[in-house]
Amino acid sequence: MLKENLEAVQKNIIEACKKVGRDSNEVTLIAVSKTKPLSDIEEIMDLGVIEFGENKVQELVDKYENIKAPVHWHLIGHLQTNKVKYIVDKVALIHSVDSLKLAEQISKEAVKKNVISNILVQVNVAKEETKFGIETEEVYDLVEKISKLPNISIQGLMTIAPFVENPEENRLIFRKLHQLYVDIKQKNIDNVNMNVLSMGMTNDYQVAIEEGATMVRVGTGIFGARNYNI
Ligand SMILES: *Cc1c(COP(=O)(O)O)cnc(C)c1O
């Protein structure tokens, strides 16, 4: 079952790339394993996936400690400053940096643990009140400030688009974030890489890829529906 799901997602990624003339090697699939058991992660790992996303610090740390193989963990959910210390040396990429205060804490803990922390700045493109992330107008300023901090390295931008019936409704949101990503890349700010554009989930990853996503975060599409009551 998981195998068929994964293969279908991989095929869709290739097709979305083809549609707009992109090389599918430019797009990294993050398997979002939140709420799912270790056995599911292992099954997907055995099929060659090494990038996994979690949205809670405690769950990520538990899984990190129990999965012995060298997978790359992505923290995709909101991060509180007091929890930075638990994950800064365990994750490949933090997708959800949305304040200078959080970036300063990541920098501080990364210095302490002698690691470089790779991060994305989370942008609330759709301006949804319920979502974390900074507004598009504030991104450049925050990127410049973070770029001056030690042991933290900006790799790109991330957004969570609204839940919509028709994924086409999110196309302009993805386009807007891609444009911002290109604009910032062209400014060549020291210590800032713009190589990762993390956007698109089960419902809309094909549209996100057509609009330039380099990372898509797919949970339900691979692992099936989540049960939060267990
Ligand atoms: C849960 C989650 C996903 C995956 O959502 P699906 O709709 O199950 O693919 C992606 N990104 C973030 C930030 C999430 O919290």
Side-chain angles (χ1 to χ4, degrees):
M1 178 66 172
L2 297 194
K3 183 170 188 274
E4 284 77 20
N5 289 349
L6 176 67
E7 285 171 354
V9 171
Q10 287 168 330
K11 188 163 156 268
N12 289 340
I13 291 174
I14 290 170
E15 276 169 9
C17 286
K18 222 181 252 166
K19 197 167 156 191
V20 292
R22 294 184 64 193
D23 178 346
S24 60
N25 292 320
E26 289 171 18
V27 178
T28 302
L29 172 62
I30 314 289
V32 177
S33 48
K34 63 191 188 196
T35 78
K36 297 296 176 179
L38 295 172
S39 56
D40 280 6
I41 296 177
E42 281 158 356
E43 193 175 333
I44 292 296
M45 271 169 46
D46 287 345
L47 298 165
V49 173
I50 58 167
E51 314 289 337
F52 289 89
E54 290 286 338
N55 70 334
K56 294 209 166 74
V57 167
Q58 184 62 53
E59 190 174 346
L60 188 151
V61 171
D62 285 346
K63 286 173 173 169
Y64 173 92
E65 281 164 1
N66 285 292
I67 298 279
K68 294 298 173 213
V71 305
H72 299 158
W73 293 103
H74 295 253
L75 185 80
I76 60 175
H78 181 63
L79 177 58
Q80 290 171 300
T81 50
N82 62 344
K83 295 200 173 153
V84 169
K85 57 179 177 286
Y86 302 118
I87 55 134
V88 87
D89 56 344
K90 298 186 177 65
V91 296
L93 187 62
I94 300 171
H95 291 231
S96 48
V97 175
D98 61 358
S99 71
L100 185 60
K101 183 166 152 263
L102 176 58
E104 283 169 345
Q105 186 66 22
I106 293 170
S107 168
K108 192 173 134 204
E109 290 296 333
V111 168
K112 239 192 239 172
K113 295 203 162 74
N114 198 23
V115 294
I116 303 289
S117 188
N118 291 314
I119 62 123
L120 305 179
V121 169
Q122 181 175 350
V123 188
N124 186 356
V125 184
K127 298 189 196 292
E128 284 186 287
E129 278 178 25
T130 54
K131 294 256 163 72
F132 292 103
I134 60 164
E135 305 222 335
T136 39
E137 296 76 16
E138 304 167 330
V139 174
Y140 182 72
D141 187 51
L142 181 62
V143 164
E144 261 212 314
K145 285 181 175 139
I146 296 175
S147 74
K148 301 198 168 74
L149 301 173
N151 293 47
I152 182 168
S153 176
I154 298 177
Q155 300 297 323
L157 305 178
M158 177 270 216
T159 198
I160 304 175
F163 183 80
V164 289
E165 282 298 320
N166 178 356
E168 284 297 332
E169 290 173 50
N170 283 337
R171 186 178 290 280
L172 290 181
I173 289 172
F174 297 141
R175 191 171 292 172
K176 202 165 168 189
L177 192 67
H178 180 256
Q179 190 55 53
L180 189 60
Y181 166 86
V182 170
D183 289 348
I184 295 177
K185 200 192 194 68
Q186 282 169 349
K187 295 213 159 87
N188 282 320
I189 308 167
D190 277 353
N191 192 32
V192 174
N193 295 302
M194 279 287 139
N195 299 321
V196 177
L197 188 55
S198 169
M199 57 187 195
M201 304 170 32
T202 296
N203 200 39
D204 54 19
Y205 65 93
Q206 289 106 317
V207 174
I209 290 170
E210 288 170 25
E211 296 298 330
T214 72
M215 268 186 195
V216 290
R217 310 177 306 264
V218 178
T220 317
I222 296 173
F223 296 102
R226 285 179 291 272
N227 180 358
Y228 287 100
N229 303 317
I230 45 175

